[in-house]
Amino acid sequence: MTEYSRERLDLFGALQKRHSSSLENGRLWTLEPGDIRFRYGESIAELKIPYHMGADDEACIENAVAGLIALLIKRAEPSFEGRKTPPSSPPLMAPVKELKKKTFRTDIFVAGSLEKRLAREIVSTVANVDTAIIASWMGADGHGRRFAKWVGDFIEKALKDEVKHGGPEGTSYLSLLAVVNTINKKKERIRNVRVKGINYEKLDLAVGLTLFVALREALKDLFEKLKSAKANCYSQKKEEMLLSSIVPKSFISIPSNLLSSSLNPYGLNAEAFEVISSYAPFSAGNVIEEFTGAVVNAMKKNQEDLEALKLQCAITKLREETLKYLTEFDIRSESQELLYELYNDDRMIKNFLSDPKSSVNLSKSLDEVKKNFMKDARSVEIITDFQSFLAPFKKSLFGNIRKSTKEEIEDVSRAIGSFYACKLDDHVEKFTSLMRAAMADKRVDLNQALLMEEYNRGRLYRFSTDERPFLKTLSIEEEGQLLIDMKDFTKKTLKIKEIAMVEFMKENFYKPILEAAGRYSASGLSSYEHGISLANLLGDAAIFSGGITYLVALAREIQKRTRLYREQLLKKLPPETGTVVLEEVHKRFEARKALLRERRAELESEMEKGDTDAESKLLALGEEEHRLENVYRDELRTAILDELEAGLFISYGAKAETMIIEQKENSTPIKVSIGEKINEAARGSFRNPLVRAKIEVLIENEKRKSGAPLLK
């Protein structure tokens, strides 16, 4: 069992004791929409949490990814300089001044340092990454070092933010999800790489797993410091929750590639994984000891599968012993180069195990290495131990991996433990991936100015290590909404046509209303009332938002203005003189009536000739003639009697929210106001029988009180 697998099992063992049910159903890693301070959506399915990383913070992650890519490429193809990158795209990789020769030695790091722990974890679980690469990446000016420090500062700020605000949100978990999303976004540049010696899949694994280890080790380092300092933002529950939520597959573009080699955090390849998975159903509620025992007992009945798993154990064991040697020695020799190649490749290890001559030749070459350290007892002991490990492999394939029954079962049990850890991580990933998908990075949609506007309004999380809060307090203000709606706008446009109507509306509707509204604008006439602003303007309607006092004042001005509309309209459509409009109405009626008479004559003629369909057509024609008469009367009444009226409806409540939609480059952003009270005003009082009833009662009372029966 790998060190990572052992840590995961210990962690999940602790979680099972304290959070058994929430671990099995995934609630431990699931965000409840109602717990989040700002979000869109009321269910998990529709949940969206708008956020963006601070510019410097995103740059730190980007540089860490780019710097690592550059070092890996430099190792695989020293002459590579980032070619095949479109000029318009960001730099593919950071410049590499110098990269030392490949080595797995860890004594180049300070004992007990984060860098050394990180290096040991990476070389033991990540292919194609050596300690020279890590030393450069984690060096004094290395982007990896800055990234690890940034992670500590970032999560510490998030933990303090949680303590400050209280509540169930879990800001640190949100922050961690945002970091993983950003890492994966920056990793996408790997797709543009074409380099000899390391294909896309291998590069993706190397970068993804290295960032995973770096993030995880930085988190562990942070919690260790907080715990030692007895910081009030530290809690064991939070440490377990955050560490459990970070899994290797979250950092890999093609998750199935994780088990393409057993050089991974679990020490298993896909073949061994499938062998184990066929023996016992997995559940997050399984007890590891019971699960392991059940699989071992079932596997004993199938020798072929047992041997396959034992071979995987042999590969893992050889890799572990090889790493013990490589972390101490980097002498340039044939044996050293062979061990470098063996270490990264399952297939080569399998071939090595099946060829007795290979282990003999390797052991002999180690004798030559040993001669250089005869005065160093510790080095001689390490080399001798490695040779002793290789000795049994001088026999046949299955002879070399057969051990005592006890050792055999222990090896198989450890492999099953790693399988269990992998399945637990898959269980976690199922829920954390869902939550990461709910995180909506608005840097993709909005420019910097709009990002800041949304953040300042409390509608956007801004994750950063600077002094600004992750989320500003969202203040829900109240305001009024005034809807002005022109009655029968379409009919009147039909009467005097668009050109005349545009000029008429401009002079008698739009300009007067906007001028009046300008007197109550944001500058305001008093300090205790909010000014008003135009929210929307349609052909026959306008919506104003703002202080209720000013909206009522504006509505009164508009009422005065509408009294003048009658006079202006009569100049355009004079009903007393009979006139152009009446003549036009009559002409249209007579022309249509003449067409109907001709059609009736045709149908009567067809009926006389025996056409059976003519009778039904005549009935339909009669209905059309009846409709024509009704339309004629309506048009006459409209032309003579109708006034130009404006409906005014005011509502008051929660302030409307403004959505900003970015368009293509050089296009003006579109603003859309959305609010319940806008809709309420738009529906109008005639849609609400209770409001209408109250108004009618008030009017009737006023008629009796004032003795004015014609009062409106």
Side-chain angles (χ1 to χ4, degrees):
M1 188 188 305
T2 64
E3 184 65 29
Y4 171 77
S5 296
R6 188 175 294 105
E7 286 186 16
R8 295 302 278 180
L9 294 180
D10 290 343
L11 176 57
F12 279 102
L15 290 173
Q16 282 177 329
K17 291 178 182 178
R18 285 189 285 275
H19 315 283
S20 179
S21 59
S22 60
L23 186 147
E24 290 187 57
N25 60 26
R27 191 176 298 278
L28 189 63
W29 307 284
T30 303
L31 297 166
E32 291 296 332
D35 294 342
I36 301 167
R37 284 181 284 168
F38 184 80
R39 87 282 177 186
Y40 300 113
E42 297 301 324
S43 69
I44 294 294
E46 61 188 15
L47 177 64
K48 288 296 176 187
I49 304 167
Y51 79 97
H52 78 103
M53 302 295 293
D56 292 340
D57 306 84
E58 186 158 347
C60 179
I61 297 174
E62 183 170 25
N63 290 334
V65 173
L68 184 58
I69 292 173
L71 291 165
L72 288 165
I73 292 176
K74 189 74 172 179
R75 175 68 74 216
E77 186 181 346
S79 61
F80 187 88
E81 296 180 355
R83 58 185 180 277
K84 300 182 182 179
T85 303
S88 59
S89 64
L92 178 63
M93 47 186 261
V96 179
K97 296 180 180 179
E98 181 182 1
L99 179 59
K100 295 181 179 180
K101 292 182 179 180
K102 181 185 291 186
T103 180
F104 277 25
R105 288 178 58 180
T106 56
D107 58 355
I108 59 179
F109 301 101
V110 176
S113 64
L114 169 64
E115 292 79 12
K116 185 160 187 171
R117 294 199 305 274
L118 192 149
R120 290 190 65 86
E121 182 70 16
I122 290 174
V123 296
S124 64
T125 58
V126 184
N128 300 301
V129 183
D130 57 76
T131 53
I133 290 175
I134 300 168
S136 179
W137 193 59
M138 292 293 294
D141 297 322
H143 294 300
R145 187 187 188 92
R146 294 173 189 165
F147 171 75
K149 182 182 183 306
W150 173 84
V151 168
D153 295 341
F154 180 72
I155 299 300
E156 183 177 4
K157 178 184 174 182
L159 291 169
K160 289 179 178 178
D161 187 82
E162 277 189 45
V163 173
K164 178 180 178 181
H165 290 96
E169 177 182 78
T171 313
S172 57
Y173 182 46
L174 286 179
S175 306
L176 204 53
L177 294 172
V179 173
V180 177
N181 276 357
T182 306
I183 289 173
N184 285 323
K185 182 174 72 172
K186 300 307 177 183
K187 270 177 68 255
E188 286 299 307
R189 64 178 60 201
I190 298 174
R191 297 184 183 276
N192 297 324
V193 176
R194 297 294 182 272
V195 62
K196 296 176 183 178
I198 184 168
N199 58 26
Y200 166 71
E201 289 79 8
K202 290 181 179 179
L203 193 57
D204 176 60
L205 279 170
V207 174
L209 291 179
T210 299
L211 267 297
F212 156 72
V213 173
L215 178 59
R216 180 169 170 269
E217 289 297 323
L219 272 178
K220 289 165 62 179
D221 192 60
L222 168 66
F223 283 117
E224 186 178 323
K225 291 177 181 176
L226 294 177
K227 186 176 182 180
S228 299
K230 296 182 180 180
N232 67 339
C233 62
Y234 171 81
S235 76
Q236 185 177 353
K237 180 180 178 181
K238 184 59 63 175
E239 177 182 4
E240 291 172 348
M241 188 272 164
L242 293 183
L243 287 175
S244 67
S245 68
I246 301 297
V247 301
K249 283 187 179 178
S250 301
F251 296 77
I252 301 171
S253 300
I254 309 174
S256 59
N257 283 340
L258 179 60
L259 301 181
S260 58
S261 163
S262 59
L263 183 50
N264 59 55
Y266 309 103
L268 293 175
N269 59 24
E271 182 181 354
F273 185 88
E274 290 302 319
V275 167
I276 299 172
S277 62
S278 64
Y279 281 90
F282 167 81
S283 167
N286 290 143
V287 177
I288 179 60
E289 292 80 11
E290 295 175 1
F291 180 82
T292 301
V295 174
V296 169
N297 290 333
M299 194 174 290
K300 286 179 180 178
K301 300 174 183 178
N302 189 324
Q303 191 64 27
E304 184 178 348
D305 285 348
L306 185 60
E307 295 298 341
L309 192 55
K310 284 164 61 183
L311 178 57
Q312 170 68 79
C313 294
I315 292 172
T316 301
K317 190 64 177 176
L318 179 58
R319 181 172 279 127
E320 290 174 355
E321 294 298 324
T322 300
L323 183 59
K324 288 180 183 178
Y325 173 83
L326 290 176
T327 54
E328 298 291 338
F329 303 99
D330 59 2
I331 298 173
R332 300 295 111 182
S333 63
E334 290 184 10
S335 62
Q336 195 80 7
E337 294 303 321
L338 172 63
L339 290 173
Y340 284 149
E341 293 180 12
L342 277 174
Y343 187 77
N344 281 304
D345 195 322
D346 278 11
R347 182 181 55 81
M348 288 190 66
I349 294 178
K350 197 177 294 185
N351 292 338
F352 179 87
L353 294 174
S354 64
D355 182 8
K357 293 181 180 180
S358 297
S359 59
V360 173
N361 294 335
L362 178 57
S363 186
K364 287 181 179 178
S365 65
L366 291 174
D367 284 333
E368 296 300 318
V369 175
K370 191 189 297 184
K371 292 177 181 178
N372 298 316
F373 297 94
M374 295 309 294
K375 295 182 180 181
D376 185 346
R378 180 177 176 278
S379 297
V380 171
E381 182 181 357
I382 293 171
I383 298 171
T384 302
D385 287 346
F386 190 31
Q387 289 176 312
S388 298
F389 169 77
L390 294 171
F393 295 105
K394 297 175 183 177
K395 301 178 182 179
S396 63
L397 171 61
F398 291 110
N400 63 30
I401 61 174
R402 285 191 189 277
K403 302 175 183 177
S404 67
T405 303
K406 183 178 179 180
E407 290 176 334
E408 176 183 289
I409 295 302
E410 287 177 353
D411 286 347
V412 170
S413 296
R414 282 194 289 269
I416 295 169
S418 290
F419 166 85
Y420 187 77
C422 184
K423 291 292 287 185
L424 282 170
D425 279 357
D426 287 347
H427 178 71
V428 174
E429 169 65 8
K430 181 169 63 176
F431 299 101
T432 56
S433 63
L434 180 66
M435 294 301 98
R436 291 199 308 275
M439 301 292 290
D441 186 354
K442 304 309 288 184
R443 190 177 286 279
V444 178
D445 306 320
L446 306 177
N447 61 32
Q448 189 62 33
L450 292 177
L451 284 173
M452 289 307 299
E453 181 178 334
E454 290 289 276
Y455 169 72
N456 287 327
R457 295 175 63 200
R459 296 168 47 87
L460 182 72
Y461 285 88
R462 179 183 178 276
F463 296 119
S464 175
T465 55
D466 61 23
E467 295 180 356
R468 281 181 277 184
F470 284 168
L471 180 70
K472 287 195 172 182
T473 303
L474 176 62
S475 56
I476 300 177
E477 301 178 20
E478 292 191 331
E479 66 178 4
Q481 306 291 341
L482 167 63
L483 174 76
I484 307 160
D485 182 40
M486 295 300 299
K487 181 182 177 183
D488 295 333
F489 177 79
T490 304
K491 289 182 181 179
K492 291 176 174 59
T493 302
L494 288 173
K495 280 195 287 184
I496 65 174
K497 302 307 176 187
E498 289 82 356
I499 295 177
M501 197 64 175
V502 164
E503 187 63 27
F504 176 72
M505 290 292 288
K506 175 184 174 182
E507 294 300 324
N508 297 281
F509 182 71
Y510 300 133
K511 284 180 66 176
I513 288 175
L514 293 175
E515 287 173 2
R519 292 193 287 274
Y520 307 103
S521 64
S523 59
L525 299 178
S526 66
S527 58
Y528 61 86
E529 178 66 275
H530 293 295
I532 64 177
S533 60
L534 178 68
N536 207 346
L537 183 64
L538 303 174
D540 63 340
I543 298 173
F544 290 92
S545 302
I548 195 73
T549 304
Y550 289 167
L551 289 178
V552 171
L554 176 61
R556 286 174 174 165
E557 287 202 30
I558 294 171
Q559 285 179 325
K560 293 177 183 178
R561 191 72 198 178
T562 55
R563 295 191 186 106
L564 301 175
Y565 288 168
R566 174 69 171 170
E567 180 182 346
Q568 295 294 328
L569 183 59
L570 292 179
K571 292 178 181 179
K572 291 261 181 194
L573 313 171
E576 303 88 354
T577 59
T579 85
V580 178
V581 173
L582 290 175
E583 288 177 3
E584 286 295 321
V585 171
H586 187 69
K587 284 180 182 179
R588 287 198 301 271
F589 172 71
E590 289 297 331
R592 182 60 181 156
K593 196 170 182 180
L595 290 174
L596 292 178
R597 280 198 300 268
E598 292 178 8
R599 179 58 178 157
R600 177 172 286 279
E602 292 175 1
L603 290 174
E604 288 174 348
S605 175
E606 292 175 3
M607 191 173 176
E608 290 176 358
K609 295 177 181 179
D611 188 342
T612 56
D613 294 334
E615 186 175 356
S616 60
K617 293 179 179 179
L618 278 170
L619 290 174
L621 184 65
E623 293 178 1
E624 188 172 351
E625 288 171 337
H626 180 68
R627 284 195 300 273
L628 179 63
E629 292 287 346
N630 289 335
V631 170
Y632 178 50
R633 285 195 296 272
D634 288 343
E635 287 189 351
L636 287 175
R637 184 170 56 252
T638 298
I640 296 171
L641 300 176
D642 275 8
E643 296 182 12
L644 191 63
E645 296 181 4
L648 301 171
F649 309 110
I650 295 178
S651 62
Y652 183 76
K655 186 176 181 179
E657 291 292 336
T658 302
M659 177 196 307
I660 302 172
I661 303 174
E662 280 285 315
Q663 299 191 87
K664 294 181 180 178
E665 191 175 354
N666 299 325
S667 296
T668 304
I670 296 174
K671 292 188 177 183
V672 182
S673 293
I674 299 175
E676 177 189 359
K677 294 302 174 180
I678 289 180
N679 296 340
E680 187 176 301
R683 286 193 293 269
S685 63
F686 74 96
R687 293 278 187 92
N688 190 322
L690 292 177
V691 172
R692 184 61 182 262
K694 289 179 181 178
I695 299 237
E696 294 294 344
V697 169
L698 289 171
I699 292 175
E700 288 301 320
N701 290 339
E702 189 64 27
K703 285 180 180 179
R704 287 193 296 270
K705 183 178 179 181
S706 62
L710 299 180
L711 183 69
K712 293 184 179 180

